[in-house]
Amino acid sequence: MPPVMSQIDDPKIAFAYLRPACVLLTKEPTLANVETLSEQLRDVQAASLQQLQEYVLFPLRFVLKVPGQRREKLVQAVAEALSNVLERTCVRSWDTLRDLFSELCICLCSPTDPGKPADASEELKSAVLRCLDALLHAAYGDIVFRLYEAAMLPGLGAAISLLLALGEKDKSRDIQAAALKCLQSLILHCDCTQEHVVPSPEERCAVGGTVASFLPGITVAAARIITGDLRQGHAVTVRAIKVWSRSVGLVMDDSQLQSGQSCKTPSPDLGRVRQLLVQRTPDWVKATAGKLCALLKRIISCTSAHQHWRVRLEMVELADHLLATCSRSLKECVGPLLEALVGAINDDEPRVRARCEVALRNVSQRNQSGTSSKNLTDVLSENLHSLATSLPRLMRTSDDQKKLFVLNVFLGYLKVLGPLVSAVLNSAAHLDRISKALMQVLELDVMDVRVVEERSYTDPIESSSGSLDSYTCHTHRKQFLYFTDEKIFSVLMEICRTLGYYGNIYLLTDQLLDLYRQSSAYRKQAAMVLNELVRGAAGIAVAAQAKCLDGSEHRGRAASKEDLKAAVVSVMEEYTSLNNWHLETVSEETDADRQDQQLLSPFRLQSICRSEIVSNSDNSLQVIPSSPTSPPSSSSTIHQLNSNIWQLCIQLEGVACFAQALRRDFRPLLMTSLYPVLEKAGEETLLVSQAALGTIMDISKACGYSSPKELISDNSDYLLNDVSVNLQRLSQHPQAPRVLMVMLAHSDRSLLPLVRDIVQDVLMALDLSYDHSAALFCSVLHALMKALARWFPPTCCRTSKSPSFRTSAEQEDFDVCQFLLDYRKQKELAEGIGIEVDETEDLDVPPPPPPECEDADDVGGPDMKAELPSHLSITKDVMERCIHLLSDPSLRLRLKVLDVLEQCVYVLSEREDELLPMAHRCWPALLQRLTEDPLAVLRAFRVLCTLGETCGDFLKSRVSKEVLPKLGSSLARQAPISAKAGPVYTHTLAYKLQLAVLQGLGSLCQRLDLGEADLDAVCEACLPYLSCRQPIRLQEACLSVFRHLIQVDPDTFWFTLNEIHCPSSYTPPHPDLQPLQLSGMGRPRDEYSDNVLKLLREEFGSDSDR
């Protein structure tokens, strides 16, 4: 490699160095000679090259002028060499500038159609565009403006058309961007880092007059590029926006149009070129502004919500530039330009937001320096009114991206106006238009039938066991009529909060409450807006600091606590009023539902108290007319029920919002708000129940309570007072039992002394009018018993001895001799041998001593029974009612009673002396439930299993004689059916009954320590379920039955299983013993083999290998 030479700085030496290459290139215009000259040019300093510029450019230009077809590589090399020279020198000759400009444009043109770009390689186009850009930068100021003389219009127009065609239609992004950059340089608005010519006002006016001839083509083509395919990349779009904004700003510059120089009469010597010239007269300016406004709206709609932040930033630059230079000539565009700026104030990109704030301050400062400082505020308020007017139409017809942009613009106007929003809303037209627009935009889609169908069958969530997430994770998302994007909903809610933050809270709440009362069509939307207005007025989730239009910072003043509380009280009163809180949410009633509601009929009104029920006479309880909350009629449509459900959910969310806004100041309002929320927490409609539970959590958190349990406990006194009063007017307050249920679910044992009297009232009412109120109060009793079971968990759930000795005996070594002696003794006793000896021995046994715990003072005294604890006394009373109601004709009621009975047995299990008599009394009715409807059998068997766990041997003979035969026959009867059934069978009630019986039967047998005959009967009934043809879960349940049976009698069931399938042969330990023969030996594998082998391996450790 030759050593690196220093650059030649002497022009004479440089000339001598370059002359051979230049001469050779002129004689032989080849690629090699061009490359040789290019290499040598790099060795010459810029100052020396400037003096030799004309000499060096001549051979290169000569190559471009050679007639005939030229090779692309040669032209590309010439363009690169020219670029090298032009980037290091200045063009001082007009002829050189003009000729080079024309020659380079020709290189880009198609030979057959000069108006279109040549079908050349990307490398060639890139090299020529780079050279053209370098030429425009190298031109001296005194000659560059000659390009914009009238005589140059044809050539300039051809160049502009060529560059626009490349920028719009070329397949390469780099070529598109390079062509648009050249066009920027051509209109003297290049944004590169090089030094540029700064035109004087006269020169700028001349350039603007020339570019005006091409403004329609430039703006239309650039608009097509801006609104074109997103795949062209953001860089091309940004360049096109710059070309559009700078060309419009150049031609429509207010300073030029007002100077009068823009309307000079062209020279008559121009000939036909005069036809190309444009006179920027007022009429032309007005017509052009109208056309540009249409293009601008298209551009703003496509770029304001562009996915790339640089495009959005350039859109802000465009708006700022045109508002600064053309606000008078483009009066029609001021609104859209301000709209674009205001929409960018909420941009996700901080750089866009910052630039937008600067642009808005510039607009404000320019406006204040004019005739009136209120002009901009007037423009913004007018734009806000106009946008609010068109908002419903835009939300119906636009796509989600356009909707999001429009709403961001709306929000931007509010943020830019800031504290002035309050003044704007004092205009009745603005207030009415904005509120009506929000009503229409936020209209809900209430046609989803699932909202009505979903029911909350489970009990209220246990207190202190769930977190906030557990209440809200399953909340149904609102479905809106005109949008689906969650971002749109977020912006709408931020608009409402911003209105509340800057606006007059009294004025806004009055307006929205008027709309709330005005029409049921607006009620849900008005409630949503009211909720967010209050949050915004409290400063929740609102930008606390913004920029004023004059650039100073301001902090929006949140409403005072007194104003906020007054607004909350007025809204809460409207929400919880009778007509707006007790809405129909159930589509139709069953017979059982009507039975529940009979108690609520005004002609069957009962007083729930300890006094006697008097007849309907002059001294009887007055009949109160039924309230608007009468049972829902069958005419209620799904649409209306769905609407009611969402209205309740939104109002419940509102109560939570009010609590968050007032924090601890909300505590005094709990006396009027907590009871209605608890009513809805007990709703059967899942959506309402979830919303109410979430509201309870939010209230407890906002008011400083650690949990809902503490919230309810601290307010239980007046809550229970309301429950007690409302239970006496049940026709007017049918939700009172549900309030009691929710309180029981969210409290601890400290509530029991307070609730005891109410429980007695409920039991008394149940005794006196169970025909009408039983189903209504059974749910309350069930919640009560679940609460007692949670508050007072039994210390011992088993009252009899468990046969656990078998497990310990299995661990000892088996004594064959002792086994045979015991067997012989038992056989003799069975034959009557040795009975007299046993009786004689029994006579010698001394009587058992008296219990040590018996006091001497109590001997011979009366039997005194200790008073039961209150929770056990209540449980016993409830169980008494359950025994009577177990035979009720209503299946629905019987199912409820069985659930209550199960909990009663669990709570009473710690007192055997109380439980066993009650179990004896309920046994006949419970046994009857095992022979009726499968649903009742399912629940009754669950109660039976609970009794078996708690009563033990007390039920042994009863279960053996009265239950097992029925269960066994039922299992045997259903086994062939389930073995042949398909996958749909698992959804049937018969399958669920089989599964429940199999899952509970094993533990029941083990707990009761049943005899051999009973175990054989259970085994015979369950054996068919070991078949692999049965459903998987039935097989698993059957395996659990046999595991429990093996614990009771392992020998018998080892033998039984081996009789079915024996995996091993057993060799006698002594030759004198006969070989053991089992029926399962040698039997081929069948449908029972897999489950039998599984049991033998798990329970006996048998080897499966033959």
Side-chain angles (χ1 to χ4, degrees):
M1 172 180 278
V4 178
M5 296 175 56
S6 60
Q7 287 190 323
I8 301 171
D9 55 358
D10 188 343
K12 295 181 180 180
I13 298 175
F15 175 75
Y17 178 65
L18 296 174
R19 184 174 180 277
C22 290
V23 172
L24 182 60
L25 180 58
T26 307
K27 292 180 180 180
E28 300 178 9
T30 62
L31 178 61
N33 291 336
V34 174
E35 291 175 347
T36 300
L37 179 58
S38 297
E39 290 293 332
Q40 292 181 359
L41 287 173
R42 293 188 179 92
D43 299 333
V44 180
Q45 277 190 353
S48 300
L49 191 59
Q50 178 67 56
Q51 298 185 30
L52 299 174
Q53 184 194 57
E54 293 289 342
Y55 182 79
V56 172
L57 290 178
F58 175 79
L60 295 172
R61 291 173 54 196
F62 181 77
V63 175
L64 296 179
K65 292 180 180 179
V66 172
Q69 189 173 5
R70 293 164 296 185
R71 292 182 300 165
E72 287 190 0
K73 290 288 185 182
L74 178 61
V75 177
Q76 178 184 339
V78 171
E80 290 172 352
L82 285 171
S83 300
N84 187 17
V85 174
L86 294 173
E87 286 170 355
R88 299 166 61 196
T89 61
C90 297
V91 177
R92 298 174 179 175
S93 168
W94 161 243
D95 293 333
T96 302
L97 174 62
R98 180 191 60 205
D99 294 344
L100 262 178
F101 184 77
S102 300
E103 290 161 6
L104 291 173
C105 288
I106 291 172
C107 292
L108 290 173
C109 290
S110 171
T112 57
D113 188 358
K116 295 182 179 180
D119 187 14
S121 64
E122 290 184 14
E123 292 79 5
L124 174 59
K125 293 177 185 177
S126 179
V128 174
L129 288 170
R130 175 191 165 198
C131 184
L132 186 58
D133 187 59
L135 174 66
L136 294 172
H137 280 82
Y140 254 38
D142 56 348
I143 64 167
V144 71
F145 295 108
R146 296 187 63 179
L147 277 174
Y148 305 99
E149 293 178 350
M152 284 296 296
L153 278 178
L156 193 61
I160 291 174
S161 299
L162 196 62
L163 293 174
L164 286 172
L166 286 170
E168 182 181 1
K169 298 177 181 179
D170 201 272
K171 296 179 180 179
S172 170
R173 294 181 184 179
D174 295 335
I175 300 300
Q176 288 179 287
L180 294 171
K181 185 178 183 300
C182 278
L183 193 52
Q184 278 184 262
S185 301
L186 198 56
I187 59 176
L188 301 182
H189 277 86
C190 183
D191 57 352
C192 68
T193 57
Q194 299 181 40
E195 292 185 5
H196 299 90
V197 176
V198 180
S200 66
E202 294 78 11
E203 291 168 340
R204 183 176 177 80
C205 187
V207 174
T210 302
V211 176
S213 301
F214 314 115
L215 185 64
I218 293 174
T219 53
V220 171
R224 282 200 301 264
I225 298 171
I226 295 168
T227 60
D229 195 344
L230 292 175
R231 291 175 295 181
Q232 69 187 2
H234 74 278
V236 175
T237 306
V238 168
R239 286 288 177 192
I241 294 174
K242 287 180 178 180
V243 168
W244 200 96
S245 65
R246 301 310 186 269
S247 60
V248 171
L250 177 65
V251 175
M252 306 297 288
D253 191 348
D254 292 336
S255 60
Q256 295 182 32
L257 298 176
Q258 292 175 359
S259 65
Q261 298 178 4
S262 60
C263 300
K264 287 184 178 180
T265 304
S267 172
D269 300 334
L270 295 175
R272 294 179 61 186
V273 175
R274 291 183 61 182
Q275 301 175 6
L276 300 176
L277 284 173
V278 168
Q279 295 296 312
R280 291 183 282 174
T281 62
D283 292 339
W284 180 90
V285 171
K286 184 177 180 181
T288 303
K291 296 173 183 176
L292 289 174
C293 185
L295 288 175
L296 182 64
K297 289 178 180 177
R298 280 179 52 200
I299 291 171
I300 291 174
S301 66
C302 290
T303 57
S304 295
H306 197 277
Q307 59 187 7
H308 202 284
W309 68 271
R310 290 190 183 276
V311 175
R312 303 195 299 273
L313 178 63
E314 192 56 41
M315 196 61 226
V316 174
E317 297 281 359
L318 177 147
D320 188 28
H321 178 70
L322 294 185
L323 287 171
T325 58
C326 317
S327 58
R328 291 186 179 88
S329 59
L330 296 178
K331 287 181 180 179
E332 299 177 38
C333 299
V334 171
L337 290 172
L338 278 176
E339 188 176 292
L341 282 180
V342 170
I345 202 73
N346 303 305
D347 198 276
D348 295 335
E349 176 59 42
R351 284 167 283 194
V352 178
R353 290 199 302 271
R355 181 66 184 88
C356 184
E357 289 177 0
V358 173
L360 285 169
R361 286 200 300 273
N362 293 339
V363 172
S364 176
Q365 290 168 3
R366 286 193 297 270
N367 187 263
Q368 289 175 4
S369 64
T371 57
S372 172
S373 62
K374 297 182 179 179
N375 285 342
L376 184 59
T377 302
D378 294 341
V379 171
L380 291 174
S381 62
E382 289 172 7
N383 285 3
L384 182 62
H385 184 274
S386 175
L387 182 59
T389 304
S390 59
L391 188 61
R393 175 181 56 80
L394 293 172
M395 293 298 289
R396 286 194 301 269
T397 59
S398 306
D399 58 7
D400 279 2
Q401 191 177 27
K402 173 68 174 177
K403 292 172 186 174
L404 190 60
F405 167 68
V406 170
L407 291 173
N408 273 320
V409 171
F410 197 105
L411 177 59
Y413 279 130
L414 298 178
K415 287 185 175 180
V416 171
L417 286 168
L420 298 176
V421 167
S422 182
V424 171
L425 293 179
N426 286 333
S427 163
H430 282 78
L431 180 61
D432 184 67
R433 178 52 57 196
I434 290 173
S435 57
K436 288 284 183 65
L438 290 173
M439 295 304 99
Q440 295 177 55
V441 168
L442 284 168
E443 187 173 353
L444 283 166
D445 180 6
V446 292
M447 297 308 293
D448 187 0
V449 72
R450 292 176 301 171
V451 173
V452 181
E453 287 179 340
E454 289 178 336
R455 287 284 174 268
S456 177
Y457 292 111
T458 56
D459 294 310
I461 301 174
E462 301 296 333
S463 62
S464 73
S465 64
S467 63
L468 180 60
D469 295 337
S470 65
Y471 294 112
T472 59
C473 61
H474 299 298
T475 302
H476 200 285
R477 194 168 68 91
K478 297 181 182 71
Q479 301 292 330
F480 292 91
L481 207 56
Y482 300 122
F483 62 88
T484 56
D485 192 348
E486 193 68 27
K487 291 181 181 178
I488 294 176
F489 179 65
S490 299
V491 176
L492 280 167
M493 293 299 98
E494 190 175 355
I495 287 172
C496 298
R497 290 193 296 272
T498 307
L499 283 171
Y501 187 65
Y502 291 119
N504 185 318
I505 187 64
Y506 288 111
L507 179 66
L508 289 167
T509 51
D510 287 347
Q511 172 72 11
L512 269 299
L513 283 175
D514 285 343
L515 290 174
Y516 183 93
R517 303 183 189 105
Q518 177 181 334
S519 169
S520 59
Y522 290 160
R523 201 158 291 155
K524 296 179 292 298
Q525 302 94 296
M528 270 189 281
V529 177
L530 278 168
N531 298 345
E532 294 303 318
L533 282 177
V534 172
R535 293 186 72 210
I540 299 173
V542 189
Q545 182 172 315
K547 297 280 186 179
C548 284
L549 292 176
D550 60 0
S552 62
E553 294 184 353
H554 71 78
R555 288 184 179 271
R557 184 178 62 85
S560 66
K561 287 292 184 183
E562 291 75 16
D563 294 344
L564 201 58
K565 190 170 182 179
V568 164
V569 169
S570 63
V571 178
M572 282 274 295
E573 287 176 354
E574 192 67 33
Y575 280 2
T576 56
S577 64
L578 196 62
N579 293 330
N580 297 324
W581 195 254
H582 300 290
L583 302 175
E584 298 176 3
T585 59
V586 182
S587 58
E588 59 184 13
E589 292 181 310
T590 62
D591 293 338
D593 295 325
R594 294 191 184 93
Q595 177 190 349
D596 290 348
Q597 294 295 334
Q598 284 177 2
L599 175 64
L600 311 183
S601 170
F603 301 105
R604 294 191 179 274
L605 183 65
Q606 305 289 345
S607 175
I608 302 180
C609 60
R610 298 176 187 274
S611 61
E612 295 181 356
I613 300 295
V614 295
S615 60
N616 190 7
S617 62
D618 294 337
N619 296 326
S620 65
L621 188 65
Q622 292 183 353
V623 175
I624 301 173
S626 60
S627 67
T629 59
S630 57
S633 63
S634 58
S635 61
S636 298
T637 63
I638 298 296
H639 177 278
Q640 184 59 46
L641 295 172
N642 195 325
S643 177
N644 291 346
I645 290 169
W646 276 118
Q647 183 181 332
L648 288 173
C649 291
I650 293 167
Q651 291 173 176
L652 285 164
E653 291 171 4
V655 178
C657 291
F658 304 154
Q660 292 168 356
L662 293 177
R663 309 297 296 175
R664 287 182 178 269
D665 291 335
F666 191 76
R667 286 195 175 195
L669 301 181
L670 289 174
M671 294 187 68
T672 56
S673 61
L674 186 55
Y675 185 91
V677 174
L678 292 177
E679 282 184 343
K680 298 306 169 187
E683 272 273 356
E684 290 183 6
T685 305
L686 180 64
L687 208 61
V688 177
S689 176
Q690 286 180 338
L693 290 170
T695 299
I696 292 172
M697 276 299 299
D698 290 337
I699 291 175
S700 63
K701 185 177 180 181
C703 294
Y705 295 103
S706 61
S707 66
K709 180 179 72 174
E710 185 182 353
L711 169 68
I712 294 175
S713 297
D714 282 8
N715 299 278
S716 58
D717 48 356
Y718 64 82
L719 284 173
L720 288 174
N721 180 65
D722 289 344
V723 170
S724 178
V725 172
N726 291 340
L727 282 174
Q728 299 181 38
R729 302 182 181 91
L730 209 54
S731 65
Q732 292 178 299
H733 304 281
Q735 305 290 339
R738 290 178 178 172
V739 177
L740 185 56
M741 289 170 56
V742 176
M743 290 185 66
L744 290 169
H746 287 271
S747 302
D748 53 19
R749 64 174 66 187
S750 62
L751 186 69
L752 185 59
L754 299 174
V755 84
R756 185 188 306 163
D757 291 340
I758 294 180
V759 172
Q760 294 303 322
D761 289 345
V762 171
L763 293 176
M764 180 67 72
L766 191 59
D767 291 340
L768 297 173
S769 57
Y770 67 88
D771 289 341
H772 312 298
S773 60
L776 184 64
F777 291 114
C778 269
S779 297
V780 179
L781 296 179
H782 188 223
L784 171 66
M785 297 317 303
K786 289 195 71 173
L788 292 179
R790 188 176 69 251
W791 299 342
F792 304 97
T795 55
C796 179
C797 294
R798 289 169 174 78
T799 59
S800 61
K801 187 178 178 182
S802 174
S804 57
F805 65 90
R806 298 182 183 274
T807 305
S808 60
E810 290 173 2
Q811 299 174 359
E812 299 176 2
D813 293 335
F814 182 65
D815 190 343
V816 178
C817 295
Q818 185 61 43
F819 173 77
L820 293 175
L821 290 173
D822 291 341
Y823 176 76
R824 178 183 176 187
K825 182 178 180 181
Q826 294 295 331
K827 187 175 181 181
E828 290 176 349
L829 288 173
E831 295 173 354
I833 303 173
I835 293 178
E836 295 80 1
V837 178
D838 289 341
E839 290 176 352
T840 306
E841 292 174 356
D842 291 340
L843 294 175
D844 298 335
V845 178
E852 296 179 1
C853 61
E854 186 177 347
D855 294 334
D857 297 338
D858 294 337
V859 176
D863 293 337
M864 298 295 295
K865 189 173 183 180
E867 184 179 355
L868 283 176
S870 59
H871 71 284
L872 294 180
S873 176
I874 290 174
T875 304
K876 191 175 177 182
D877 291 341
V878 172
M879 198 168 179
E880 287 274 4
R881 274 70 175 185
C882 290
I883 294 171
H884 296 296
L885 293 174
L886 270 178
S887 301
D888 193 271
S890 169
L891 173 63
R892 183 168 177 262
L893 178 59
R894 295 199 302 273
L895 295 177
K896 287 184 178 181
V897 171
L898 286 169
D899 288 337
V900 178
L901 185 61
E902 182 182 4
Q903 295 296 327
C904 290
V905 171
Y906 179 76
V907 175
L908 277 179
S909 61
E910 65 180 69
R911 286 294 185 96
E912 183 182 51
D913 54 341
E914 300 292 341
L915 174 62
L916 297 185
M918 299 301 295
H920 172 74
R921 292 184 56 195
C922 75
W923 180 257
L926 180 63
L927 184 64
Q928 194 65 29
R929 303 289 75 76
L930 289 169
T931 60
E932 54 176 20
D933 189 278
L935 269 176
V937 174
L938 202 60
R939 304 282 181 91
F941 184 73
R942 199 167 65 190
V943 176
L944 177 64
C945 292
T946 306
L947 281 171
E949 285 290 315
T950 53
C951 297
D953 293 340
F954 179 75
L955 295 180
K956 181 175 180 178
S957 62
R958 302 179 188 223
V959 171
S960 174
K961 294 178 182 178
E962 303 176 46
V963 176
L964 287 183
K966 297 176 182 178
L967 295 180
S969 62
S970 173
L971 287 175
R973 186 170 58 253
Q974 285 296 122
I977 299 173
S978 58
K980 297 176 182 178
V984 181
Y985 181 74
T986 57
H987 299 283
T988 63
L989 192 57
Y991 167 81
K992 295 175 183 177
L993 183 58
Q994 284 174 286
L995 184 62
V997 171
L998 287 171
Q999 287 176 338
L1001 191 56
S1003 59
L1004 184 65
C1005 293
Q1006 184 179 4
R1007 181 73 196 109
L1008 299 180
D1009 195 19
L1010 295 177
E1012 186 175 345
D1014 295 327
L1015 295 180
D1016 287 343
V1018 171
C1019 177
E1020 185 178 354
C1022 294
L1023 274 177
Y1025 293 93
L1026 288 176
S1027 170
C1028 61
R1029 297 175 183 173
Q1030 296 285 350
I1032 295 296
R1033 293 193 65 189
L1034 292 185
Q1035 294 182 50
E1036 294 173 353
C1038 181
L1039 289 173
S1040 72
V1041 173
F1042 275 94
R1043 291 189 185 104
H1044 285 96
L1045 296 179
I1046 289 171
Q1047 297 296 321
V1048 177
D1049 193 346
D1051 295 341
T1052 299
F1053 289 98
W1054 176 89
F1055 182 78
T1056 301
L1057 292 173
N1058 278 280
E1059 284 285 294
I1060 300 171
H1061 183 81
C1062 182
S1064 305
S1065 58
Y1066 297 97
T1067 305
H1070 194 275
D1072 294 341
L1073 297 175
Q1074 295 293 326
L1076 182 63
Q1077 293 295 327
L1078 298 172
S1079 301
M1081 289 182 175
R1083 181 176 294 178
R1085 296 175 70 88
D1086 56 14
E1087 57 188 290
Y1088 301 99
S1089 301
D1090 291 342
N1091 285 321
V1092 170
L1093 287 173
K1094 187 175 184 180
L1095 285 170
L1096 289 174
R1097 288 196 202 102
E1098 291 177 357
E1099 304 299 327
F1100 302 102
S1102 299
D1103 187 4
S1104 60
D1105 298 330
R1106 298 282 308 220

